[in-house]
Each structure stands twice: as C-alpha cells, then as structure tokens.
Amino acid sequence: MVAQDVVSPRFDSIADTIEAFRRGEFIVVLDSQDRENEGDLIIAAEAITTEKMAFMIRYTSGYICAPITCSMTERLELPQMVSENTETHRTAYTVSIDASDPSITTGISAHDRALTCRTLASPSAKPSSFRRPGHTLPLRARDGGVLVRTGHTEAAVDFCHLAGFQPAAVICEMIEDGEEIVGLAERRGAGMMRRDGCLEFGRKWGLKVCTIEDLVTYIKHQEKGMNGMNGNNGV
C-alpha cells in the first residue's frame, strides 16, 4: 500500500523527494527549528561520484559524513570516535576512514572521498576495506530511524531504505558563504543555511527540498497502511 503523501507549504512532497533520491539526485533536508534548524545536502552513497562530491564540497561546509546502520558499523568494525559522547545532539561519529583502494592518495580529494563512500555502501566491504583514521566520517544511525531520533543521520538512512539503496548515505551541512570583503581575506555574514536559503538553493539547482517532520509523518502513514493490510489479511 502506498503511504499517504504529506507536504508542508513551499516544501516538496516526500514521495517526490524519494523519487529524486532514487534517481541518484541530491536532496535538501531540513530539521526542526527547535533542533538544529539547518539543512543538509544528502545523497545515497551508491550514487556519489567524483563530480557530485566536488559539488557537495563546494556548496556545503565540506565536513563530509556518511550515515550507516548500527549493524554496518559492527560488521565493518567502526567503533565510536569517543567513549563518552557530549555533543549537543549526540551525533554518533565513528572513527574516520579512507578506502584502502590503491587509487586513494591523500584521502581528502573529491575522488578519494567519493570512492570511500561508495566502498562503505558496498555489501562486499569488510574491515580491511578501510584505513583508519581518514577523511570521511561515518555516522551510526539509530535503529528505528526518524521515528526514534529526528536527525539528519537517521533521515538519510531512511531515504536509502525508501528508495531501495543500501543503507549508506552521504551528508553535509549547508552553509551561507557570506559576502566578500574587498581587499581582505575575510567574508562577512557567513553562517548556517536556514529554511529560506535552502529553498532558494533547491530552486537554483533543481533539487527537492523537504523536512524531517514530513518524513516522520510519511513513514507513520506507511507503517499504518502496512499494519492495516496485515490486519485485513488476518496476519
């Protein structure tokens, strides 16, 4: 049963966003104003190319993270970065990695980070597929997704599930560059990209823009529909 679609004013529907994600496109996802109140650029790890990674690095903070499931962190032997997490939203960073592929050089280039993320999504990846530390930061998503934790980490993995990808994504926070100061190696007015900036960015580049709140509602409708079908079938 197809989940009832939801859409907030000015934002794209979750159904349309899933379809764009399934085509290997970037999507822009915003969380609540009561939380981080920021937008992340998100793509499936399987879909990231050198060219797309270059775009991501150019138009975000460049601090590239890769959300994956708890079971994947265990299979790939990626422990948490710290034993006691005091980060504001308890973002579950693992140790950083680079792919151990012979083509990897410094690990920081668009090519190297894209390959690392694609390797992370590969079902055949194993602990020896990566060097530690590196230049890409896997994030451990909570089991249960956005219904358990309304973070970009969980939203990214949920979009992978909904679009039929391996549960590995690539995400990065979107920022405002600010204005150039003539004659100085400085910029004025830089900061995080909020709702209006994200919507404008989406329009400029033809990307779908949605909210985690709408994703939560969509998944709840989807689960309610599945439960209804099971009930009707006497399961």
Side-chain angles (χ1 to χ4, degrees):
M1 178 177 181
V2 177
Q4 178 180 338
D5 199 16
V6 290
V7 59
S8 299
R10 306 179 66 190
F11 293 109
D12 291 293
S13 73
I14 296 301
D16 287 346
T17 304
I18 292 169
E19 285 306 310
F21 195 81
R22 184 177 287 123
R23 293 192 297 269
E25 298 175 13
F26 284 110
I27 61 173
V28 179
V29 181
L30 287 89
D31 67 353
S32 169
Q33 293 185 12
D34 298 327
R35 194 176 180 275
E36 291 179 316
N37 186 25
E38 68 176 34
D40 276 28
L41 195 61
I42 301 179
I43 192 170
E46 292 176 75
I48 193 75
T49 62
T50 297
E51 293 76 15
K52 289 178 179 178
M53 181 62 79
F55 178 90
M56 192 173 213
I57 294 167
R58 170 64 179 82
Y59 289 106
T60 67
S61 69
Y63 193 67
I64 304 298
C65 297
I68 56 177
T69 61
C70 291
S71 62
M72 289 174 71
T73 66
E74 294 169 0
R75 175 171 60 84
L76 298 174
E77 298 178 7
L78 297 175
Q80 289 292 280
M81 181 186 291
V82 295
S83 58
E84 183 178 352
N85 191 331
T86 59
E87 195 269 338
T88 305
H89 297 288
R90 302 297 189 269
T91 304
Y93 292 93
T94 78
V95 294
S96 57
I97 59 171
D98 290 334
S100 57
D101 188 272
S103 68
I104 298 290
T105 55
T106 62
I108 195 66
S109 70
H111 166 274
D112 289 0
R113 285 193 274 181
L115 179 54
T116 296
C117 291
R118 292 197 306 273
T119 303
L120 197 60
S122 172
S124 62
K126 50 188 181 294
S128 61
S129 300
F130 305 98
R131 302 193 296 246
R132 306 161 178 78
H135 299 81
T136 298
L137 292 140
L139 305 176
R140 185 184 67 196
R142 293 274 297 275
D143 290 337
V146 294
L147 298 187
V148 173
R149 180 178 182 270
T150 54
H152 289 99
T153 301
E154 286 70 26
V157 171
D158 279 346
F159 271 112
C160 287
H161 285 305
L162 290 165
F165 286 109
Q166 293 294 321
V170 187
I171 70 174
C172 199
E173 298 95 340
M174 302 180 70
I175 59 171
E176 298 281 5
D177 283 340
E179 299 177 353
E180 183 177 329
I181 302 174
V182 178
L184 293 177
E186 301 175 9
R187 298 186 72 85
R188 180 188 299 114
M192 301 306 298
M193 188 177 290
R194 308 300 182 188
R195 182 194 65 186
D196 292 345
C198 289
L199 288 166
E200 181 179 347
F201 185 90
R203 285 193 294 269
K204 177 179 180 178
W205 297 104
L207 304 179
K208 301 300 182 185
V209 183
C210 71
T211 68
I212 293 178
E213 181 181 9
D214 284 347
L215 179 60
V216 169
T217 302
Y218 180 93
I219 292 174
K220 285 182 176 178
H221 279 302
Q222 185 184 53
E223 291 191 350
K224 182 179 179 181
M226 291 301 296
N227 289 336
M229 288 177 64
N230 289 338
N232 291 337
N233 292 332
V235 176

